[in-house]
Amino acid sequence: MTDLGLLLIRLIIGIVFLFYGSQKLFGWFGGHGIKGTGGWFESIGIKPGILVATLSGLGELVSGILFILGFLLPLGAIIITIIMLGAIIKVHGSKGFSNTTGGFEYNLVLIVVSIGLALIGAGGYSL
């Protein structure tokens, strides 16, 4: 049952980051693509916006795939942590803890679950 639980957690985290990466890179699922996301990054002072949007989107896509496959989880967790820390520092941190006010609680949960999985291991249903 432990392996099944780890698989379920990995799949959801992986899907979440595939979703975010697809929004940034391809404009899927209501996203704005690289150009739109890059413009938004520039508007909050992150430059060069298009480069950061591309790197962020690729990081999210790659980490999502790594989590789904259960392969190189520590690398995936490092990528997720870097991206989520950036989101906390540049966007959510000043809004407090609560997600209802745009705060950083969701970002923190993603970081802790990702690091926790990397420390525990991917489980039996993984590469």
Side-chain angles (χ1 to χ4, degrees), residues 45-110:
I46 301 174
K47 297 178 182 180
I50 289 181
L51 176 62
V52 175
T54 302
L55 293 175
S56 179
L58 286 172
E60 290 168 341
L61 201 68
V62 167
S63 63
I65 292 168
L66 294 177
F67 266 70
I68 288 170
L69 296 177
F71 183 68
L72 298 174
L73 278 189
L75 175 61
I78 289 168
I79 295 168
I80 287 170
T81 299
I82 290 168
I83 293 169
M84 291 297 100
L85 283 175
I88 290 169
I89 291 166
K90 289 303 286 184
V91 180
H92 301 285
S94 64
K95 298 175 183 172
F97 179 75
S98 178
N99 192 47
T100 58
T101 61
F104 63 90
E105 82 178 79
Y106 180 63
N107 308 97
L108 184 61
V109 168
L110 291 171

Side-chain angles (χ1 to χ4, degrees), residues 18-69:
L18 279 177
F19 175 83
Y20 289 146
S22 297
Q23 285 184 313
K24 285 180 180 71
L25 294 173
F26 313 120
W28 296 351
F29 312 113
H32 300 290
I34 293 172
K35 187 175 180 181
T37 303
W40 178 76
F41 278 141
E42 295 254 347
S43 77
I44 63 169
I46 301 174
K47 297 178 182 180
I50 289 181
L51 176 62
V52 175
T54 302
L55 293 175
S56 179
L58 286 172
E60 290 168 341
L61 201 68
V62 167
S63 63
I65 292 168
L66 294 177
F67 266 70
I68 288 170
L69 296 177

